Amino acid sequence: MAEVRRVPVGDVELAVVVRERTGAAATPCVLLPGTGLTAASWDGVADRLAHTRSVYAVDLRGHGVSAWPGRYSVAAMAEDVVGLLDRLAGLAGPVDLVGHSLGGLVALRVCAAAPGRVRRLVLEDVGMPHPRTPAPPTRPPGDLPFDWRDAPAADWPAVLAALPVPVLVVAGGPTSFVRAEHVAELVAAVTDGRAVTLDTGHEVHENDPEGFTAAALAFLDAP
């Protein structure tokens, strides 16, 4: 049974959808959604993962019912998640991180900032980030479940080269806007990286939840 917890971390309060499995032998899993998405986007995958482990799906700052402080960057979101790992009793030991798109970039920064807290890392359709000209995006119309402002960052090659944990990228294939060569570049940049491709487009776990979950579990449960 899932429950929503509100956890104060630094200058924000994060909402976390918790599925705790008492006595589970498998490493707890923390799920980080993509831009404009919330913890609810993980519901189908989280239910499957929760058969064997505790699962914590996070609304990042500026998303869902977490705080919208008006200050956003991958680094700030990663700092929030590191703080969250220290605040939740169920996450006292190492965790497995799963991140989609923006959530994958946040997961990489979490691992770099707190390497002893992460055992394995699954990235959903994430490639090597490349510098881009900062430009505020146009606000989408209507009510939004996220704060549309953003602030880009850099220095990724050094971050990736220093990662001490195994990394799996589940890529979305040729219909995704994430280029295959950027996925390959990221995998080559980390010490222990591999990739699988599902022909789904960028929303891998939404379009093929069974395939995504199977790939993630094969990696997370490997000896």
Side-chain angles (χ1 to χ4, degrees):
M1 182 96 180
E3 64 167 312
V4 179
R5 296 183 191 169
R6 296 176 182 271
V7 184
V9 179
D11 64 342
V12 299
E13 183 180 76
L14 297 182
V16 186
V17 179
V18 178
R19 294 166 173 83
E20 284 187 331
R21 187 175 179 85
T22 304
T27 302
C29 193
V30 177
L31 308 177
L32 306 178
T35 302
L37 300 174
T38 68
S41 69
W42 287 112
D43 281 352
V45 170
D47 286 342
R48 292 169 173 83
L49 293 175
H51 291 163
T52 54
R53 70 205 69 218
S54 294
V55 181
Y56 303 79
V58 182
D59 278 352
L60 298 172
R61 65 163 62 201
H63 290 72
V65 293
S66 285
W68 294 23
R71 182 176 70 86
Y72 308 103
S73 67
V74 172
M77 293 174 180
E79 185 178 335
D80 295 342
V81 175
V82 172
L84 180 69
L85 298 182
D86 293 334
R87 294 300 302 270
L88 283 174
L91 301 178
V95 304
D96 292 330
L97 281 182
V98 180
H100 174 214
S101 195
L102 168 66
L105 298 180
V106 173
L108 287 165
R109 291 271 178 186
V110 171
C111 188
R117 301 303 313 278
V118 179
R119 187 187 72 105
R120 293 195 174 199
L121 182 58
V122 177
L123 306 176
E124 180 184 341
D125 209 38
V126 178
M128 172 69 81
H130 287 267
R132 58 186 174 88
T133 302
T138 301
R139 186 193 190 282
D143 294 331
L144 303 174
F146 65 100
D147 193 326
W148 61 281
R149 290 168 289 187
D150 186 24
D155 80 328
W156 286 103
V159 169
L160 294 170
L163 289 182
V165 304
V167 178
L168 169 70
V169 181
V170 184
T175 58
S176 170
F177 65 83
V178 178
R179 293 162 57 177
E181 58 265 37
H182 289 173
V183 172
E185 187 180 356
L186 186 151
V187 169
V190 300
T191 302
D192 183 356
R194 66 212 73 178
V196 298
T197 300
L198 302 176
D199 191 8
T200 58
H202 186 57
E203 309 295 336
V204 184
H205 79 264
E206 178 181 338
N207 293 329
D208 187 359
E210 296 289 349
F212 177 85
T213 306
L217 285 174
F219 173 68
L220 295 177
D221 292 344

Short mmCIF file of all heavy atoms in Angstrom, two decimals, residues 14 29-35 37-39 41-42 56-60 77-78 80-82 84-85 96-111 121-124 205:
data_model
loop_
_atom_site.label_atom_id
_atom_site.label_comp_id
_atom_site.label_asym_id
_atom_site.label_seq_id
_atom_site.Cartn_x
_atom_site.Cartn_y
_atom_site.Cartn_z
N LEU A 14 9.86 17.89 0.44
CA LEU A 14 9.66 16.97 -0.67
C LEU A 14 8.53 16.00 -0.35
O LEU A 14 8.41 15.51 0.77
CB LEU A 14 10.94 16.17 -0.95
CG LEU A 14 12.18 16.95 -1.38
CD1 LEU A 14 13.31 15.98 -1.66
CD2 LEU A 14 11.90 17.82 -2.61
N CYS A 29 14.80 1.06 -3.35
CA CYS A 29 14.92 1.72 -4.65
C CYS A 29 14.27 3.10 -4.56
O CYS A 29 13.15 3.24 -4.08
CB CYS A 29 14.22 0.87 -5.71
SG CYS A 29 14.59 1.36 -7.39
N VAL A 30 14.98 4.11 -5.05
CA VAL A 30 14.49 5.49 -5.09
C VAL A 30 14.28 5.87 -6.55
O VAL A 30 15.20 5.74 -7.37
CB VAL A 30 15.47 6.46 -4.41
CG1 VAL A 30 14.98 7.90 -4.53
CG2 VAL A 30 15.66 6.08 -2.94
N LEU A 31 13.07 6.34 -6.89
CA LEU A 31 12.69 6.66 -8.26
C LEU A 31 12.58 8.17 -8.43
O LEU A 31 11.88 8.83 -7.65
CB LEU A 31 11.35 6.01 -8.60
CG LEU A 31 11.23 4.50 -8.33
CD1 LEU A 31 9.82 4.02 -8.65
CD2 LEU A 31 12.25 3.71 -9.11
N LEU A 32 13.24 8.71 -9.45
CA LEU A 32 13.25 10.14 -9.71
C LEU A 32 12.65 10.40 -11.10
O LEU A 32 13.17 9.88 -12.10
CB LEU A 32 14.67 10.69 -9.64
CG LEU A 32 15.45 10.38 -8.35
CD1 LEU A 32 16.87 10.93 -8.44
CD2 LEU A 32 14.72 10.94 -7.14
N PRO A 33 11.59 11.20 -11.20
CA PRO A 33 10.90 11.38 -12.49
C PRO A 33 11.56 12.43 -13.37
O PRO A 33 12.45 13.16 -12.96
CB PRO A 33 9.50 11.85 -12.06
CG PRO A 33 9.73 12.54 -10.76
CD PRO A 33 10.88 11.83 -10.09
N GLY A 34 11.09 12.49 -14.61
CA GLY A 34 11.60 13.44 -15.59
C GLY A 34 10.95 14.80 -15.46
O GLY A 34 10.03 15.02 -14.66
N THR A 35 11.42 15.74 -16.27
CA THR A 35 10.88 17.10 -16.25
C THR A 35 9.38 17.11 -16.51
O THR A 35 8.89 16.48 -17.45
CB THR A 35 11.56 17.94 -17.34
OG1 THR A 35 12.97 17.95 -17.13
CG2 THR A 35 11.05 19.38 -17.31
N LEU A 37 7.11 15.74 -14.82
CA LEU A 37 6.45 14.54 -14.31
C LEU A 37 6.56 14.49 -12.79
O LEU A 37 7.38 15.19 -12.19
CB LEU A 37 7.07 13.29 -14.94
CG LEU A 37 6.97 13.22 -16.46
CD1 LEU A 37 7.74 12.00 -16.99
CD2 LEU A 37 5.51 13.14 -16.91
N THR A 38 5.75 13.65 -12.19
CA THR A 38 5.74 13.52 -10.74
C THR A 38 5.97 12.07 -10.33
O THR A 38 6.09 11.18 -11.18
CB THR A 38 4.40 14.01 -10.16
OG1 THR A 38 3.36 13.09 -10.58
CG2 THR A 38 4.06 15.41 -10.67
N ALA A 39 5.98 11.85 -9.03
CA ALA A 39 6.16 10.49 -8.52
C ALA A 39 5.11 9.55 -9.09
O ALA A 39 5.37 8.35 -9.28
CB ALA A 39 6.08 10.50 -7.00
N SER A 41 4.10 9.19 -11.97
CA SER A 41 4.48 8.62 -13.27
C SER A 41 5.15 7.26 -13.11
O SER A 41 5.24 6.50 -14.07
CB SER A 41 5.41 9.58 -14.02
OG SER A 41 6.69 9.65 -13.39
N TRP A 42 5.61 6.95 -11.91
CA TRP A 42 6.28 5.68 -11.64
C TRP A 42 5.35 4.61 -11.10
O TRP A 42 5.80 3.49 -10.81
CB TRP A 42 7.40 5.89 -10.63
CG TRP A 42 8.62 6.59 -11.13
CD1 TRP A 42 9.07 7.83 -10.79
CD2 TRP A 42 9.59 6.08 -12.06
NE1 TRP A 42 10.24 8.12 -11.44
CE2 TRP A 42 10.59 7.06 -12.23
CE3 TRP A 42 9.69 4.88 -12.76
CZ2 TRP A 42 11.68 6.89 -13.06
CZ3 TRP A 42 10.78 4.70 -13.61
CH2 TRP A 42 11.76 5.69 -13.75
N TYR A 56 10.64 4.15 -3.09
CA TYR A 56 10.36 5.54 -2.73
C TYR A 56 10.40 6.38 -4.01
O TYR A 56 11.46 6.56 -4.62
CB TYR A 56 11.41 6.05 -1.75
CG TYR A 56 11.51 5.24 -0.48
CD1 TYR A 56 12.21 4.02 -0.47
CD2 TYR A 56 10.91 5.66 0.69
CE1 TYR A 56 12.30 3.26 0.68
CE2 TYR A 56 10.99 4.90 1.86
CZ TYR A 56 11.68 3.70 1.85
OH TYR A 56 11.76 2.94 3.00
N ALA A 57 9.24 6.89 -4.43
CA ALA A 57 9.16 7.72 -5.62
C ALA A 57 9.03 9.18 -5.19
O ALA A 57 8.17 9.52 -4.37
CB ALA A 57 7.97 7.31 -6.49
N VAL A 58 9.87 10.04 -5.76
CA VAL A 58 10.03 11.41 -5.27
C VAL A 58 9.43 12.42 -6.24
O VAL A 58 9.63 12.32 -7.46
CB VAL A 58 11.52 11.71 -5.07
CG1 VAL A 58 11.72 13.12 -4.51
CG2 VAL A 58 12.18 10.68 -4.15
N ASP A 59 8.70 13.41 -5.71
CA ASP A 59 8.41 14.63 -6.46
C ASP A 59 9.61 15.55 -6.27
O ASP A 59 9.89 15.99 -5.14
CB ASP A 59 7.17 15.35 -5.90
CG ASP A 59 5.85 14.78 -6.40
OD1 ASP A 59 5.87 13.92 -7.29
OD2 ASP A 59 4.81 15.21 -5.89
N LEU A 60 10.36 15.84 -7.33
CA LEU A 60 11.48 16.76 -7.23
C LEU A 60 10.97 18.17 -6.92
O LEU A 60 9.79 18.48 -7.15
CB LEU A 60 12.27 16.76 -8.53
CG LEU A 60 12.90 15.42 -8.92
CD1 LEU A 60 13.48 15.50 -10.33
CD2 LEU A 60 13.99 15.01 -7.92
N MET A 77 18.48 19.99 -7.02
CA MET A 77 17.62 18.81 -6.87
C MET A 77 18.40 17.63 -6.30
O MET A 77 17.89 16.88 -5.46
CB MET A 77 17.00 18.44 -8.21
CG MET A 77 16.01 19.47 -8.72
SD MET A 77 15.41 19.10 -10.40
CE MET A 77 14.29 20.48 -10.67
N ALA A 78 19.64 17.47 -6.73
CA ALA A 78 20.48 16.40 -6.19
C ALA A 78 20.76 16.62 -4.71
O ALA A 78 20.75 15.67 -3.92
CB ALA A 78 21.78 16.31 -6.98
N ASP A 80 18.81 18.08 -2.64
CA ASP A 80 17.57 17.69 -1.97
C ASP A 80 17.52 16.18 -1.75
O ASP A 80 17.16 15.70 -0.66
CB ASP A 80 16.35 18.09 -2.79
CG ASP A 80 16.18 19.58 -2.96
OD1 ASP A 80 16.78 20.35 -2.19
OD2 ASP A 80 15.45 19.98 -3.89
N VAL A 81 17.84 15.42 -2.79
CA VAL A 81 17.73 13.96 -2.70
C VAL A 81 18.75 13.39 -1.73
O VAL A 81 18.44 12.48 -0.96
CB VAL A 81 17.86 13.31 -4.10
CG1 VAL A 81 17.87 11.79 -4.00
CG2 VAL A 81 16.71 13.77 -5.00
N VAL A 82 19.96 13.93 -1.72
CA VAL A 82 20.95 13.49 -0.74
C VAL A 82 20.42 13.72 0.67
O VAL A 82 20.53 12.86 1.56
CB VAL A 82 22.29 14.21 -0.94
CG1 VAL A 82 23.25 13.90 0.21
CG2 VAL A 82 22.93 13.80 -2.26
N LEU A 84 17.31 13.87 1.53
CA LEU A 84 16.21 12.94 1.74
C LEU A 84 16.73 11.58 2.20
O LEU A 84 16.14 10.94 3.09
CB LEU A 84 15.41 12.79 0.44
CG LEU A 84 14.22 11.85 0.47
CD1 LEU A 84 13.10 12.43 1.33
CD2 LEU A 84 13.71 11.58 -0.95
N LEU A 85 17.82 11.11 1.61
CA LEU A 85 18.40 9.83 2.00
C LEU A 85 18.79 9.84 3.47
O LEU A 85 18.72 8.80 4.15
CB LEU A 85 19.64 9.52 1.15
CG LEU A 85 19.42 9.37 -0.36
CD1 LEU A 85 20.73 9.00 -1.05
CD2 LEU A 85 18.35 8.34 -0.68
N ASP A 96 19.41 1.83 -4.39
CA ASP A 96 19.49 1.84 -5.84
C ASP A 96 18.70 3.05 -6.34
O ASP A 96 17.58 3.29 -5.89
CB ASP A 96 18.91 0.55 -6.44
CG ASP A 96 19.77 -0.67 -6.13
OD1 ASP A 96 21.00 -0.51 -5.99
OD2 ASP A 96 19.20 -1.77 -6.01
N LEU A 97 19.29 3.80 -7.27
CA LEU A 97 18.63 4.98 -7.83
C LEU A 97 18.18 4.68 -9.25
O LEU A 97 18.94 4.12 -10.05
CB LEU A 97 19.60 6.17 -7.86
CG LEU A 97 19.84 6.94 -6.56
CD1 LEU A 97 20.80 8.10 -6.84
CD2 LEU A 97 18.56 7.45 -5.96
N VAL A 98 16.95 5.07 -9.57
CA VAL A 98 16.41 4.96 -10.92
C VAL A 98 15.91 6.34 -11.32
O VAL A 98 15.07 6.91 -10.62
CB VAL A 98 15.26 3.93 -11.00
CG1 VAL A 98 14.72 3.84 -12.42
CG2 VAL A 98 15.74 2.56 -10.51
N GLY A 99 16.42 6.89 -12.42
CA GLY A 99 16.02 8.23 -12.82
C GLY A 99 15.68 8.32 -14.28
O GLY A 99 16.42 7.79 -15.14
N HIS A 100 14.57 8.98 -14.58
CA HIS A 100 14.13 9.19 -15.96
C HIS A 100 14.51 10.60 -16.40
O HIS A 100 14.12 11.58 -15.76
CB HIS A 100 12.62 9.00 -16.05
CG HIS A 100 12.03 9.33 -17.38
ND1 HIS A 100 10.78 9.88 -17.53
CD2 HIS A 100 12.52 9.19 -18.64
CE1 HIS A 100 10.52 10.06 -18.81
NE2 HIS A 100 11.56 9.65 -19.51
N SER A 101 15.28 10.72 -17.49
CA SER A 101 15.57 12.01 -18.10
C SER A 101 16.18 12.96 -17.08
O SER A 101 17.26 12.70 -16.55
CB SER A 101 14.29 12.56 -18.74
OG SER A 101 14.57 13.60 -19.62
N LEU A 102 15.51 14.07 -16.73
CA LEU A 102 16.00 14.97 -15.70
C LEU A 102 16.32 14.21 -14.41
O LEU A 102 17.36 14.44 -13.77
CB LEU A 102 14.96 16.06 -15.40
CG LEU A 102 15.20 16.91 -14.16
CD1 LEU A 102 16.45 17.76 -14.31
CD2 LEU A 102 13.99 17.78 -13.84
N GLY A 103 15.44 13.28 -14.03
CA GLY A 103 15.69 12.49 -12.83
C GLY A 103 16.96 11.67 -12.93
O GLY A 103 17.62 11.42 -11.91
N GLY A 104 17.32 11.25 -14.14
CA GLY A 104 18.58 10.54 -14.32
C GLY A 104 19.79 11.44 -14.09
O GLY A 104 20.79 11.02 -13.49
N LEU A 105 19.70 12.67 -14.58
CA LEU A 105 20.79 13.62 -14.34
C LEU A 105 20.92 13.92 -12.84
O LEU A 105 22.03 14.00 -12.30
CB LEU A 105 20.54 14.92 -15.11
CG LEU A 105 20.48 14.80 -16.63
CD1 LEU A 105 20.23 16.17 -17.26
CD2 LEU A 105 21.77 14.20 -17.20
N VAL A 106 19.78 14.07 -12.17
CA VAL A 106 19.81 14.28 -10.72
C VAL A 106 20.44 13.07 -10.03
O VAL A 106 21.28 13.21 -9.13
CB VAL A 106 18.38 14.52 -10.18
CG1 VAL A 106 18.37 14.56 -8.66
CG2 VAL A 106 17.81 15.81 -10.76
N ALA A 107 20.08 11.86 -10.46
CA ALA A 107 20.63 10.64 -9.86
C ALA A 107 22.15 10.58 -10.03
O ALA A 107 22.87 10.17 -9.11
CB ALA A 107 19.98 9.41 -10.49
N LEU A 108 22.65 11.00 -11.19
CA LEU A 108 24.10 11.02 -11.40
C LEU A 108 24.78 11.96 -10.41
O LEU A 108 25.83 11.63 -9.84
CB LEU A 108 24.40 11.45 -12.84
CG LEU A 108 24.11 10.42 -13.93
CD1 LEU A 108 24.11 11.09 -15.30
CD2 LEU A 108 25.13 9.29 -13.89
N ARG A 109 24.19 13.13 -10.20
CA ARG A 109 24.77 14.09 -9.25
C ARG A 109 24.68 13.59 -7.82
O ARG A 109 25.58 13.82 -7.01
CB ARG A 109 24.05 15.43 -9.37
CG ARG A 109 24.30 16.15 -10.68
CD ARG A 109 25.52 17.04 -10.57
NE ARG A 109 25.79 17.71 -11.83
CZ ARG A 109 26.85 18.45 -12.05
NH1 ARG A 109 27.75 18.62 -11.10
NH2 ARG A 109 27.05 19.03 -13.22
N VAL A 110 23.59 12.90 -7.48
CA VAL A 110 23.47 12.31 -6.14
C VAL A 110 24.59 11.31 -5.91
O VAL A 110 25.27 11.31 -4.87
CB VAL A 110 22.10 11.63 -5.96
CG1 VAL A 110 22.05 10.82 -4.66
CG2 VAL A 110 20.99 12.66 -5.98
N CYS A 111 24.81 10.46 -6.88
CA CYS A 111 25.85 9.44 -6.77
C CYS A 111 27.23 10.07 -6.65
O CYS A 111 28.07 9.62 -5.87
CB CYS A 111 25.78 8.52 -7.98
SG CYS A 111 26.85 7.08 -7.87
N LEU A 121 22.83 2.20 -10.30
CA LEU A 121 22.15 3.34 -10.90
C LEU A 121 21.55 2.95 -12.24
O LEU A 121 22.24 2.42 -13.11
CB LEU A 121 23.18 4.46 -11.09
CG LEU A 121 22.74 5.80 -11.66
CD1 LEU A 121 21.65 6.41 -10.81
CD2 LEU A 121 23.94 6.74 -11.72
N VAL A 122 20.23 3.17 -12.39
CA VAL A 122 19.53 2.94 -13.66
C VAL A 122 19.09 4.28 -14.22
O VAL A 122 18.40 5.05 -13.54
CB VAL A 122 18.30 2.02 -13.48
CG1 VAL A 122 17.56 1.85 -14.81
CG2 VAL A 122 18.71 0.66 -12.93
N LEU A 123 19.49 4.57 -15.45
CA LEU A 123 19.12 5.81 -16.12
C LEU A 123 18.18 5.49 -17.27
O LEU A 123 18.51 4.67 -18.13
CB LEU A 123 20.37 6.51 -16.66
CG LEU A 123 21.49 6.77 -15.66
CD1 LEU A 123 22.70 7.38 -16.37
CD2 LEU A 123 21.01 7.67 -14.54
N GLU A 124 17.03 6.14 -17.29
CA GLU A 124 16.06 5.93 -18.37
C GLU A 124 16.23 7.01 -19.43
O GLU A 124 15.94 8.18 -19.20
CB GLU A 124 14.64 5.97 -17.82
CG GLU A 124 13.58 5.76 -18.90
CD GLU A 124 12.17 5.89 -18.37
OE1 GLU A 124 11.97 5.78 -17.14
OE2 GLU A 124 11.25 6.10 -19.19
N HIS A 205 9.54 3.81 -19.68
CA HIS A 205 8.78 3.02 -18.71
C HIS A 205 7.28 3.23 -18.85
O HIS A 205 6.49 2.39 -18.42
CB HIS A 205 9.24 3.30 -17.28
CG HIS A 205 8.74 4.56 -16.66
ND1 HIS A 205 9.46 5.74 -16.65
CD2 HIS A 205 7.57 4.83 -16.01
CE1 HIS A 205 8.78 6.66 -16.01
NE2 HIS A 205 7.63 6.15 -15.62
#
